[in-house]
Every structure is written in structure tokens, then in C-alpha cells.
Amino acid sequence: MEAYCYCRGPDDGTAMIQCDICTGWFHLRCTGLSEDQAELMDSFACRNCIQKKKEELVAQNINLSSGPDPPANTAPKQCRVCRKWCEYRQYYFRLRPDGSFDCDDCMAHGNEG
């Protein structure tokens, strides 16, 4: 039987989501996402891929805790998972091509989108 997810369990017929980076499959219950949240997402990156990206940025001496000074008139953005409002320096390095991002709290708790 093939193993999936962070839990390394099988496809048990419950809802799953595929990582757009590693193409692995993850049980929604293990990611902390609801089916409604997953359906609203345009993309999903698993916490393993997010951690690898963080490590790459650290290796390149990129400070993840603060981005560059914001451009004029830059408004706060909402995390696409929990909808918390974050300032530019908090979301700069996590912006996706569509302009969305996952906040530190969601990424730290495995609620990445």
C-alpha cells in the first residue's frame, strides 16, 4: 500500500490535497485545512516544501523576518488561509504570483495553503 502525507498513511478515501511543488498528496485533516478552505485555494505548498524554501533563502542570506521597505501606498494584505491582516514586511517573501500569501502563523502550524 502506498504511503502519503505527513502521517505516511494510505489514501483512506478522505479528502486530500496535492502539493504543487513536490506533487505529494496530503490528507486535509493532517494539513489543518477544511474542504471549504481547500476549494478556495489556487495552489498548495506542503510544509516540507515551505521549509526547504526557507532554508534556501537563509542560505542566500535573505532575512525572512523583514522584507524591504514597502513601496509608497502599500496596503496590508490578508493571509489567504486565516484571513489575518499582515504588513508588507511580513508577507513580502511569501507572495505568490497571484498576489496571495500564507502568514507565519499558518505556516508554523501546518496550515499552509
Side-chain angles (χ1 to χ4, degrees), residues 57-73:
L57 294 172
V58 169
Q60 297 171 25
N61 292 321
I62 296 175
N63 182 352
L64 295 176
S65 63
S66 63
D69 289 334
N73 300 323

PDB file of all heavy atoms in Angstrom, residues 57-73:
ATOM      1  N   LEU A  57      16.436  30.296   1.248  1.00  0.00           N
ATOM      2  CA  LEU A  57      16.527  31.745   1.426  1.00  0.00           C
ATOM      3  C   LEU A  57      17.541  32.107   2.507  1.00  0.00           C
ATOM      4  O   LEU A  57      18.316  33.051   2.343  1.00  0.00           O
ATOM      5  CB  LEU A  57      15.156  32.335   1.755  1.00  0.00           C
ATOM      6  CG  LEU A  57      14.126  32.248   0.638  1.00  0.00           C
ATOM      7  CD1 LEU A  57      12.756  32.692   1.144  1.00  0.00           C
ATOM      8  CD2 LEU A  57      14.546  33.074  -0.566  1.00  0.00           C
ATOM      9  N   VAL A  58      17.562  31.347   3.602  1.00  0.00           N
ATOM     10  CA  VAL A  58      18.536  31.585   4.671  1.00  0.00           C
ATOM     11  C   VAL A  58      19.942  31.359   4.132  1.00  0.00           C
ATOM     12  O   VAL A  58      20.861  32.131   4.409  1.00  0.00           O
ATOM     13  CB  VAL A  58      18.238  30.691   5.896  1.00  0.00           C
ATOM     14  CG1 VAL A  58      19.384  30.718   6.888  1.00  0.00           C
ATOM     15  CG2 VAL A  58      16.946  31.137   6.566  1.00  0.00           C
ATOM     16  N   ALA A  59      20.138  30.311   3.331  1.00  0.00           N
ATOM     17  CA  ALA A  59      21.446  30.025   2.751  1.00  0.00           C
ATOM     18  C   ALA A  59      21.910  31.157   1.838  1.00  0.00           C
ATOM     19  O   ALA A  59      23.101  31.386   1.678  1.00  0.00           O
ATOM     20  CB  ALA A  59      21.414  28.701   1.989  1.00  0.00           C
ATOM     21  N   GLN A  60      20.951  31.865   1.273  1.00  0.00           N
ATOM     22  CA  GLN A  60      21.273  33.001   0.406  1.00  0.00           C
ATOM     23  C   GLN A  60      21.366  34.309   1.203  1.00  0.00           C
ATOM     24  O   GLN A  60      21.434  35.381   0.630  1.00  0.00           O
ATOM     25  CB  GLN A  60      20.210  33.153  -0.679  1.00  0.00           C
ATOM     26  CG  GLN A  60      20.125  31.986  -1.623  1.00  0.00           C
ATOM     27  CD  GLN A  60      18.904  32.093  -2.528  1.00  0.00           C
ATOM     28  OE1 GLN A  60      18.393  33.167  -2.785  1.00  0.00           O
ATOM     29  NE2 GLN A  60      18.438  30.960  -3.015  1.00  0.00           N
ATOM     30  N   ASN A  61      21.354  34.179   2.540  1.00  0.00           N
ATOM     31  CA  ASN A  61      21.421  35.335   3.445  1.00  0.00           C
ATOM     32  C   ASN A  61      20.249  36.289   3.272  1.00  0.00           C
ATOM     33  O   ASN A  61      20.396  37.500   3.401  1.00  0.00           O
ATOM     34  CB  ASN A  61      22.740  36.091   3.290  1.00  0.00           C
ATOM     35  CG  ASN A  61      23.908  35.285   3.778  1.00  0.00           C
ATOM     36  OD1 ASN A  61      23.795  34.586   4.783  1.00  0.00           O
ATOM     37  ND2 ASN A  61      25.017  35.355   3.069  1.00  0.00           N
ATOM     38  N   ILE A  62      19.080  35.749   2.980  1.00  0.00           N
ATOM     39  CA  ILE A  62      17.875  36.563   2.888  1.00  0.00           C
ATOM     40  C   ILE A  62      17.165  36.500   4.225  1.00  0.00           C
ATOM     41  O   ILE A  62      16.869  35.428   4.734  1.00  0.00           O
ATOM     42  CB  ILE A  62      16.952  36.074   1.748  1.00  0.00           C
ATOM     43  CG1 ILE A  62      17.670  36.261   0.411  1.00  0.00           C
ATOM     44  CG2 ILE A  62      15.617  36.795   1.780  1.00  0.00           C
ATOM     45  CD1 ILE A  62      16.923  35.711  -0.772  1.00  0.00           C
ATOM     46  N   ASN A  63      16.936  37.653   4.821  1.00  0.00           N
ATOM     47  CA  ASN A  63      16.286  37.747   6.120  1.00  0.00           C
ATOM     48  C   ASN A  63      14.785  37.573   5.940  1.00  0.00           C
ATOM     49  O   ASN A  63      14.130  38.387   5.316  1.00  0.00           O
ATOM     50  CB  ASN A  63      16.598  39.106   6.750  1.00  0.00           C
ATOM     51  CG  ASN A  63      15.999  39.265   8.127  1.00  0.00           C
ATOM     52  OD1 ASN A  63      15.223  38.429   8.586  1.00  0.00           O
ATOM     53  ND2 ASN A  63      16.375  40.335   8.786  1.00  0.00           N
ATOM     54  N   LEU A  64      14.232  36.487   6.497  1.00  0.00           N
ATOM     55  CA  LEU A  64      12.812  36.210   6.334  1.00  0.00           C
ATOM     56  C   LEU A  64      11.933  37.048   7.250  1.00  0.00           C
ATOM     57  O   LEU A  64      10.738  37.149   7.043  1.00  0.00           O
ATOM     58  CB  LEU A  64      12.523  34.731   6.611  1.00  0.00           C
ATOM     59  CG  LEU A  64      13.157  33.751   5.645  1.00  0.00           C
ATOM     60  CD1 LEU A  64      12.874  32.329   6.092  1.00  0.00           C
ATOM     61  CD2 LEU A  64      12.659  33.976   4.247  1.00  0.00           C
ATOM     62  N   SER A  65      12.508  37.632   8.299  1.00  0.00           N
ATOM     63  CA  SER A  65      11.680  38.353   9.263  1.00  0.00           C
ATOM     64  C   SER A  65      11.319  39.761   8.815  1.00  0.00           C
ATOM     65  O   SER A  65      10.399  40.359   9.343  1.00  0.00           O
ATOM     66  CB  SER A  65      12.374  38.412  10.617  1.00  0.00           C
ATOM     67  OG  SER A  65      13.580  39.133  10.499  1.00  0.00           O
ATOM     68  N   SER A  66      12.040  40.294   7.873  1.00  0.00           N
ATOM     69  CA  SER A  66      11.678  41.632   7.418  1.00  0.00           C
ATOM     70  C   SER A  66      12.034  41.793   5.949  1.00  0.00           C
ATOM     71  O   SER A  66      13.156  41.534   5.537  1.00  0.00           O
ATOM     72  CB  SER A  66      12.379  42.708   8.249  1.00  0.00           C
ATOM     73  OG  SER A  66      13.769  42.604   8.083  1.00  0.00           O
ATOM     74  N   GLY A  67      11.074  42.202   5.203  1.00  0.00           N
ATOM     75  CA  GLY A  67      11.288  42.459   3.797  1.00  0.00           C
ATOM     76  C   GLY A  67      11.814  43.869   3.609  1.00  0.00           C
ATOM     77  O   GLY A  67      12.095  44.581   4.566  1.00  0.00           O
ATOM     78  N   PRO A  68      11.948  44.286   2.377  1.00  0.00           N
ATOM     79  CA  PRO A  68      12.425  45.637   2.103  1.00  0.00           C
ATOM     80  C   PRO A  68      11.386  46.672   2.513  1.00  0.00           C
ATOM     81  O   PRO A  68      10.247  46.337   2.817  1.00  0.00           O
ATOM     82  CB  PRO A  68      12.616  45.624   0.589  1.00  0.00           C
ATOM     83  CG  PRO A  68      11.687  44.564   0.101  1.00  0.00           C
ATOM     84  CD  PRO A  68      11.639  43.529   1.192  1.00  0.00           C
ATOM     85  N   ASP A  69      11.796  47.917   2.521  1.00  0.00           N
ATOM     86  CA  ASP A  69      10.838  48.979   2.817  1.00  0.00           C
ATOM     87  C   ASP A  69       9.708  48.907   1.798  1.00  0.00           C
ATOM     88  O   ASP A  69       9.946  48.682   0.608  1.00  0.00           O
ATOM     89  CB  ASP A  69      11.510  50.345   2.744  1.00  0.00           C
ATOM     90  CG  ASP A  69      12.473  50.562   3.901  1.00  0.00           C
ATOM     91  OD1 ASP A  69      12.263  49.928   4.951  1.00  0.00           O
ATOM     92  OD2 ASP A  69      13.411  51.341   3.739  1.00  0.00           O
ATOM     93  N   PRO A  70       8.492  49.094   2.264  1.00  0.00           N
ATOM     94  CA  PRO A  70       7.364  48.982   1.341  1.00  0.00           C
ATOM     95  C   PRO A  70       7.317  50.134   0.345  1.00  0.00           C
ATOM     96  O   PRO A  70       7.703  51.249   0.664  1.00  0.00           O
ATOM     97  CB  PRO A  70       6.145  49.033   2.268  1.00  0.00           C
ATOM     98  CG  PRO A  70       6.622  49.654   3.524  1.00  0.00           C
ATOM     99  CD  PRO A  70       8.076  49.359   3.632  1.00  0.00           C
ATOM    100  N   PRO A  71       6.850  49.846  -0.858  1.00  0.00           N
ATOM    101  CA  PRO A  71       6.632  50.915  -1.821  1.00  0.00           C
ATOM    102  C   PRO A  71       5.557  51.868  -1.286  1.00  0.00           C
ATOM    103  O   PRO A  71       4.778  51.501  -0.405  1.00  0.00           O
ATOM    104  CB  PRO A  71       6.121  50.189  -3.074  1.00  0.00           C
ATOM    105  CG  PRO A  71       6.423  48.751  -2.859  1.00  0.00           C
ATOM    106  CD  PRO A  71       6.528  48.537  -1.389  1.00  0.00           C
ATOM    107  N   ALA A  72       5.519  53.057  -1.808  1.00  0.00           N
ATOM    108  CA  ALA A  72       4.514  54.029  -1.378  1.00  0.00           C
ATOM    109  C   ALA A  72       3.115  53.447  -1.554  1.00  0.00           C
ATOM    110  O   ALA A  72       2.847  52.715  -2.499  1.00  0.00           O
ATOM    111  CB  ALA A  72       4.658  55.308  -2.189  1.00  0.00           C
ATOM    112  N   ASN A  73       2.251  53.744  -0.602  1.00  0.00           N
ATOM    113  CA  ASN A  73       0.840  53.333  -0.640  1.00  0.00           C
ATOM    114  C   ASN A  73       0.640  51.812  -0.643  1.00  0.00           C
ATOM    115  O   ASN A  73      -0.314  51.322  -1.230  1.00  0.00           O
ATOM    116  CB  ASN A  73       0.125  53.940  -1.855  1.00  0.00           C
ATOM    117  CG  ASN A  73       0.172  55.444  -1.828  1.00  0.00           C
ATOM    118  OD1 ASN A  73       0.082  56.057  -0.771  1.00  0.00           O
ATOM    119  ND2 ASN A  73       0.359  56.051  -2.986  1.00  0.00           N
TER     120      ASN A  73
END
